[in-house]
Amino acid sequence: MTAPVDGHVAPPTDVTSSPAPEAPSEKRQATPVKEQPARAKPEAAPPSQPKPSSRAGNGGGGDRMRVVIADYDFGDVEVERRVIEGAGFELVAAQCKSEDEVIETARDADAIITQYARVGERAIDAFTRCRVIARYGTGVDIVDVDAATRHGIQVTNAPNEWCSDEVADHAVALWLAAARKIPQYAEATRRGEWQWQTGRPIHRLRGRVFGLLSFGNIARSIAERVRPFGVEIWTHDPFVDKAEVEKQDVRVVSFDELVRGSDYLIIQAPLTPKTHGLFDENVLRRMKRSAILVNTARGPIVVDAALRRALEEHWIAGAALDDIEEEPAKRRDWEAENPLFAQDDAIITPHSAYYSEESIRTVREIASNEVVRVLTGQRPSSPVNFVDRPPPPVQLHGP
C-alpha cells in the first residue's frame, strides 16, 4: 500500500543521463494538479445512507448487490462487513493472486475492493455489473484506470493521510538504523561481541545532505522529522513550486544532483513507468561511496540485482528498504530467496511502513465507505478517475 500519484506527463528537467522520476506527489489525483499542503487525517466518515440498492430492474431479479474483496491480509473482514452489510449489500471475501482468479470470483460483482490483486483491462472487460473498484491504499498501479473509465467504472483510493505519519516515522527509523548501524551492533552483541568498532565507519549526521526523491505530503513529513538532526535537506520533484519549497529551507535540485550529492537518499516517489527500475546500476554508480539509500516507496523502483552489486562492490555504504523489487505480498507461493536478505549492510522490512493498528482500520473503513457511496448513487470522497456521473441507486422493490 503505498502512496503514489501517476498519470502525469513529466515536464522537461535538467536530469543528465537518467530519466526524470515521475511526479512524486504521493497520491493519484483525479486531475493532474500540483501537490497540495498536508491535510488533517481523514476520519473515514460513513456515507449518508439512502435505501440500499439491489439488482432489481438491472437484470438481477431483485437480489442484493454483491461486493467482492479480491484479496486482503488483515486476518478478517469484520470492519468491511459492518459497513457493507450494514448498508444492505452482500459481501464476499476472496484471496485472489492472479487476474484470472479476480475474473472468476468477481465477474458478476457490483463492486470490488482490492489490496494487492491486479484488476487489469482483461478483468475489467470481463466484468458484467461492476460500478466501482476501491483500492485499499493510495497507489492504483494495480488497477487499469483507463479501462475502468472506458467502462464507466469509478475507481477510488485512500488519501495518503491515512498512513502519512506511519510512513514518515518508518522512513526516519530506517535511516537512523542504517546510519547508526543498529542491526550490525545488535547482531554482534547477540554473538557476544562488545566493541564499538563493530560499526566502523559511522559518520556524524549533522551537516550531511539528506536527499528526498519527491516532496509530497509524506516527504514533507519526513523533512520535518529529520530537520532537528541538523542535516541539509535537498529534494528533486519536478512538480513542486521551487520558490515555495525553498521557503521551507529545502534546496531544490536536479535528479542528477540529488543522486551525486546526497549522503542519505530517501525514495518516496510513486511507481510509474518512468520510475520503475529507476535505481539501476547507472544511477547507483553515481551515488557517493559513503551514501545510504532508503526506499519507503515501492519495491520495483530499485533494481534488486543492481543494489546487491552496489553493496557487494561498495559503490554505496548501505541500504534500507521497506519492500523489494518482486513485491512478495502479491505472490501466492513466495519464498525468501532474494540475495539481498544475506547482505549485512541491507535492512529490509516487509512493506510495513504504512502499518499501525489505527492506519489499517482507517484504510479499511475508507475503502468500504467509498463502495457504499458509489453503489447508493453518491459521489466518492476520493475519486481516481472521472466517470460521466455516478450511477443512480436502484431502489429495493416491495416493502
Side-chain angles (χ1 to χ4, degrees):
M1 292 183 205
T2 51
V5 170
D6 44 22
H8 294 286
V9 178
T13 66
D14 54 356
V15 175
T16 59
S17 73
S18 177
E22 190 79 4
S25 307
E26 292 128 345
K27 178 184 183 300
R28 176 167 183 151
Q29 305 284 349
T31 55
V33 297
K34 289 184 179 178
E35 179 67 31
Q36 300 299 316
R39 302 174 300 184
K41 283 194 173 184
E43 294 295 326
S48 59
Q49 297 287 342
K51 284 186 178 180
S53 300
S54 79
R55 290 176 173 173
N58 196 30
D63 53 311
R64 288 192 301 168
M65 284 186 166
R66 190 163 68 102
V67 178
V68 170
I69 298 175
D71 70 316
Y72 63 98
D73 62 7
F74 313 125
D76 61 58
V77 292
E78 293 311 305
V79 171
E80 296 81 355
R81 191 177 306 283
R82 176 178 56 80
V83 175
I84 291 167
E85 292 188 351
F89 305 121
E90 177 188 358
L91 180 67
V92 176
Q95 290 291 359
C96 303
K97 293 295 183 182
S98 70
E99 196 162 3
D100 286 333
E101 292 178 3
V102 171
I103 293 170
E104 180 181 355
T105 304
R107 184 188 302 273
D108 297 325
D110 298 279
I112 296 162
I113 305 177
T114 181
Q115 184 176 8
Y116 303 115
R118 175 162 178 76
V119 185
E121 182 176 17
R122 192 160 55 84
I124 290 169
D125 286 345
F127 295 156
T128 62
R129 302 181 184 275
C130 186
R131 297 185 182 193
V132 56
I133 300 168
R135 172 84 215 288
Y136 285 123
T138 306
V140 289
D141 57 287
I142 62 172
V143 179
D144 191 322
V145 178
D146 291 337
T149 304
R150 289 195 301 271
H151 284 268
I153 298 172
Q154 181 71 66
V155 180
T156 71
N157 65 356
N160 57 34
E161 292 87 348
W162 72 274
C163 65
S164 59
D165 281 338
E166 286 80 2
V167 175
D169 292 344
H170 200 86
V172 174
L174 288 177
W175 165 57
L176 290 173
R180 295 297 307 172
K181 298 190 178 176
I182 303 302
Q184 291 93 323
Y185 277 127
E187 180 61 30
T189 57
R190 280 193 289 267
R191 295 194 306 264
E193 182 179 312
W194 194 266
Q195 296 181 345
W196 62 263
Q197 292 91 341
T198 298
R200 297 183 75 174
I202 292 176
H203 297 285
R204 179 177 294 165
L205 303 179
R206 183 172 298 277
R208 293 189 168 259
V209 174
F210 187 95
L212 284 161
L213 181 58
S214 102
F215 206 63
N217 287 342
I218 295 175
R220 293 173 197 228
S221 295
I222 294 171
E224 290 174 3
R225 286 160 169 76
V226 303
R227 194 180 304 280
F229 288 93
V231 293
E232 182 180 347
I233 303 172
W234 293 8
T235 189
H236 173 73
D237 187 331
F239 289 88
V240 299
D241 184 302
K242 181 177 180 180
E244 185 270 332
V245 172
E246 289 180 342
K247 287 179 183 176
Q248 303 176 51
D249 198 25
V250 175
R251 181 178 171 186
V252 179
V253 298
S254 70
F255 179 66
D256 191 60
E257 288 173 317
L258 188 78
V259 168
R260 294 184 185 277
S262 294
D263 295 295
Y264 315 110
L265 204 168
I266 284 66
I267 302 171
Q268 193 52 54
L271 177 63
T272 71
K274 289 191 176 182
T275 61
H276 193 290
L278 179 63
F279 281 77
D280 56 11
E281 288 192 6
N282 176 43
V283 170
L284 292 169
R285 281 183 181 275
R286 285 187 273 148
M287 295 180 67
K288 292 181 178 181
R289 293 180 68 86
S290 59
I292 292 172
L293 180 68
V294 178
N295 184 14
T296 43
R298 293 289 299 281
I301 295 175
V302 179
V303 179
D304 285 354
L307 179 59
R308 183 191 182 196
R309 186 176 180 190
L311 294 170
E312 288 181 338
E313 298 182 15
H314 306 293
W315 304 348
I316 63 174
L321 314 172
D322 184 49
D323 204 355
I324 52 179
E325 185 178 8
E326 62 201 274
E327 296 188 298
K330 297 181 180 178
R331 299 173 180 266
R332 184 180 297 279
D333 299 315
W334 178 79
E335 295 183 5
E337 298 175 343
N338 192 310
L340 283 173
F341 293 147
Q343 293 288 144
D344 292 337
D345 44 8
I347 302 170
I348 302 173
T349 56
H351 197 39
S352 57
Y354 60 84
Y355 166 69
S356 70
E357 288 296 304
E358 294 79 9
S359 67
I360 289 295
R361 184 174 188 87
T362 296
V363 78
R364 295 170 69 182
E365 290 174 343
I366 289 172
S368 302
N369 284 321
E370 289 289 66
V371 163
V372 171
R373 285 188 184 95
V374 174
L375 292 185
T376 55
Q378 301 173 70
R379 294 283 183 185
S381 294
S382 184
V384 172
N385 60 340
F386 285 134
V387 293
D388 288 341
R389 59 186 180 277
V394 182
Q395 301 299 331
L396 285 170
H397 291 266

